[in-house]
Amino acid sequence: MSQDQTPWVHEMTIGDVLRDVARSYPDREALVFPAAGDRATWAEYDRRVDIAARGLLAMGIQRGDHVAAWATNWPQWTILQLAAARVGAVLCTINPAYRSPELAYVLEQADVVAIFLISRFKTSQYLEMLREVVPDAAKGSDGQVRSERFPKLRWVVSFQELNEPGMLSWGRIRAMGWDVDPMKLRRREATLAPDDPINLQYTSGTTGFPKGALLSHRNLLLNAYYVSQGLNLTEKDRVCVPVPFYHCFGCVIGTLASLVRGATMLVPAQYFDPVATLDCIEKERATTLYGVPTMFIAELDDPSFEGRDLSSLRTGIMAGSPCPIEVMNRVVDEMGVKEIAIAYGLTEASPAVTMTDVHDPVELRVTTVGKALPGVEVKVADEEGNALPDGEPGEICCRGHNVMVGYYKMPDATAESIDEDGWLHSGDVGVRDQHGYYRITGRIKDMIIRGGENVYPREIEEILFTHPAIAEAQVIGVPDSVKGEEVCAWIRLHRGKQMSEDEVQEFCRSRLAHFKVPRYVEFVEQFPETVTGKVQKFKMREEAIRRLGLDRQTPVGA
């Protein structure tokens, strides 16, 4: 990947970039949400963001305040993202799959001042869960909340035009914004700096509950810039983004990569739907498509795929988990995405670390994760952090503009993740070849990647431990040809207690996001342990594969 002299976004804030793009391409489409019937040019998008930003000022949102978004892919989500950046607030992205305990944890740990949400989606009743966690939310006046448990939380705002007790509507925020002098917003913007934290993305560690990675304007803009450069995106491209906004893939490689190039962002639906995505590509003439491998598989296998005109597609990104060569070949040959690229990264790296070239042979795009992004150093390190020679496996570490500011309110975890020399330790094991291409071969710890979602066993184990019939629980990942990995729980029951697999899954389903619910449940009398009593999860995994008959399952990317 070639590197420009100096990226034009280098010393800018997200708000600055939006103003420049709106001036450069005022009449080109910026956003298209077919399901919502919403379209906006760059000039109109900039105006919407400005009004929302002034609305945030009217709410009293200060520089550095944490503003949360808990919703699926709505147009207002993207506007809030840039409006928060324009006033210097930190956008805290909450996974739409979270349940009440996970929401409570983030509200408290992140010191959330205001939460913007939708009322429901499918079986997720967001408003009900919020009121379960914050009972005072229904008692507030004009959206203002006073909560003893969450003393920082002051506002609840609906992305919809709901007339609910204790909530403000999105329209009301816009109306409040019209009453704020535009110069007040300009004065706030003048105080901001590129290295200010602007995004709080939650990602679990392999032990304990999720950690919030603080990311700056510079982190996000440079990542978006170099990834979009690798795809050769211009203002003439139309980028289809079916990936969720709450994730770095959606709100950096999606919204911000489109922003820095002035490209049009196409959002097919609230949540991934293969038919809606295919419709969007076809009707809106998308040139670029994003997704994790399971999304591409769903699109290729959808009954409506045959006969589609997808000839506008040129490029895209597949990330989240490795891709089988058969899928990559079909994406290139049947979808026509001949310049599809693979990207590797992690939330703490904003997110991309490496990326393949759009002209790399297909074999390289499925067996490696490409080379380091410009401005990012990558090394394969031994246990002491020393760089290893090509061909030797070790931990993937990176250093550069993509490394997070740190974990919010977790200095010890930050120090464990970023060493004294500024190297971010990924926890992934990989090797580099003589040409500078990296290959991920495993994980140091026991994180599970299920369909592009990171699943951390400790969190599930702690939920299982709360069931009165369960004496002990251990969670591992087992191979799956579609999702890459599936969650498997080993459970030892208290003497005299009984449970079924369905009962365990139902118990988890009401307390955890759906992708964390164990697909397999094994009831055991004991766990394989070392002489010192440490559970040997690798032996559990081997035994689970044998018991479940998964010997012939090929994990995605294996």
Side-chain angles (χ1 to χ4, degrees), residues 27-49:
D27 299 323
R28 297 195 73 92
E29 281 189 320
L31 297 174
V32 178
F33 284 75
D38 194 358
R39 293 174 183 269
T41 64
W42 281 109
E44 172 60 21
Y45 188 29
D46 186 43
R47 285 192 293 270
R48 291 187 189 183
V49 169

Side-chain angles (χ1 to χ4, degrees), residues 81-92:
Q81 179 188 14
L82 300 199
R86 188 160 271 178
V87 302
V90 176
L91 182 72
C92 173

